[in-house]
Amino acid sequence: KTLIATGQVGKEPYICIWDSYNVQTVSILKDVHTHGVACLAFDSDGQRLASVGLDAKNTVCIWDWRKGKLLASATGHSDRIFDISWDPYQPNRVVSCGVKHIKFWTLCGNALTAKRGIFGKTGDLQTILCLACAKEDVTYSGALNGDIYVWKGLNLVRTIQGAHSAGIFSMYACEEGFATGGRDGCIRLWDTDFKPITKIDLRETEQGYK
């Protein structure tokens, strides 16, 4: 909760790890990504960092960032990736999502392998903008049309339709539930079963929300 990772856009983009208290650079990771860094995620104990590049292969990398060491890398997808997240309950499981796909990754030593999520008949094949992992292989994800897609393992098992009236850009999980932020200017809070708690319309609140 002290450290922050940021990524750049540019020819030889760095990833910087910062100490948010003294605003000093703790570590710089470079010479792997080209074009830019699309998204970043620490694992639950903060030792490893996942990164996604803006190169043609949308390369996914896993780092031991303290040592500046690349642990694993793999071709991410043929199209843009918008979010990546570690499963806090399974230390070697990572989920990524983007243009018309979601992928579930397993890290075994320095091998990083993915399986695509299966949309099936439960929902439309959609661009997935953000995600959050829950217990027992459950993943919640925010879709471009404002629906929340719920995954169990690789399979789409449930949709929460119209969670937002437009794309869901951001999703955060904690012990008490979830928060989602959408293009509709609203933040919505959900309990652990993804039942709605409250809606905060930030277009109407000048001073934020207590």
Side-chain angles (χ1 to χ4, degrees):
K1 298 234 191 308
T2 313
L3 296 167
I4 293 167
T6 58
Q8 300 174 331
V9 174
K11 217 181 213 172
E12 294 171 356
Y14 294 174
I15 295 165
C16 294
I17 318 291
W18 310 82
D19 181 313
S20 63
Y21 287 109
N22 61 22
V23 206
Q24 297 297 308
T25 312
V26 184
S27 178
I28 291 179
L29 311 174
K30 55 185 181 179
D31 302 329
V32 172
H33 291 300
T34 60
H35 298 79
V37 179
C39 45
L40 294 161
F42 285 109
D43 69 356
S44 53
D45 66 2
Q47 299 303 309
R48 295 171 300 176
L49 182 73
S51 64
V52 177
L54 286 171
D55 57 290
K57 293 181 175 177
N58 297 284
T59 305
V60 175
C61 297
I62 308 293
W63 304 83
D64 177 337
W65 63 266
R66 286 183 200 279
K67 293 179 182 166
K69 187 176 160 208
L70 184 65
L71 299 175
S73 74
T75 297
H77 193 64
S78 56
D79 220 324
R80 277 287 306 274
I81 295 172
F82 293 132
D83 199 7
I84 192 163
S85 180
W86 292 83
D87 185 333
Y89 307 98
Q90 298 182 63
N92 293 314
R93 182 174 182 264
V94 183
V95 187
S96 67
C97 65
V99 175
K100 295 193 171 173
H101 77 281
I102 184 166
K103 280 187 175 174
F104 300 91
W105 299 83
T106 306
L107 178 65
C108 185
N110 63 351
L112 188 61
T113 53
K115 290 181 175 168
R116 283 187 78 155
I118 300 155
F119 285 80
K121 292 180 178 167
T122 308
D124 299 329
L125 176 64
Q126 276 227 50
T127 291
I128 306 291
L129 298 173
C130 60
L131 47 87
C133 295
K135 289 178 182 166
E136 295 168 353
D137 271 0
V138 172
T139 307
Y140 294 97
S141 64
L144 188 60
N145 68 348
D147 291 356
I148 288 164
Y149 280 19
V150 187
W151 306 81
K152 171 79 173 174
L154 302 177
N155 294 294
L156 179 59
V157 292
R158 179 180 158 213
T159 64
I160 299 157
Q161 293 182 338
H164 287 264
S165 60
I168 300 172
F169 288 150
S170 178
M171 187 177 285
Y172 180 79
C174 69
E175 283 174 17
E176 291 158 37
F178 301 87
T180 56
R183 189 177 179 172
D184 55 8
C186 297
I187 293 171
R188 288 178 178 257
L189 304 181
W190 312 81
D191 71 10
T192 48
D193 295 322
F194 244 99
K195 294 196 174 73
I197 296 170
T198 190
K199 167 186 159 184
I200 305 154
D201 190 335
L202 291 181
R203 294 168 302 184
E204 294 171 3
T205 53
E206 287 177 20
Q207 303 298 328
Y209 182 82
K210 286 189 174 61

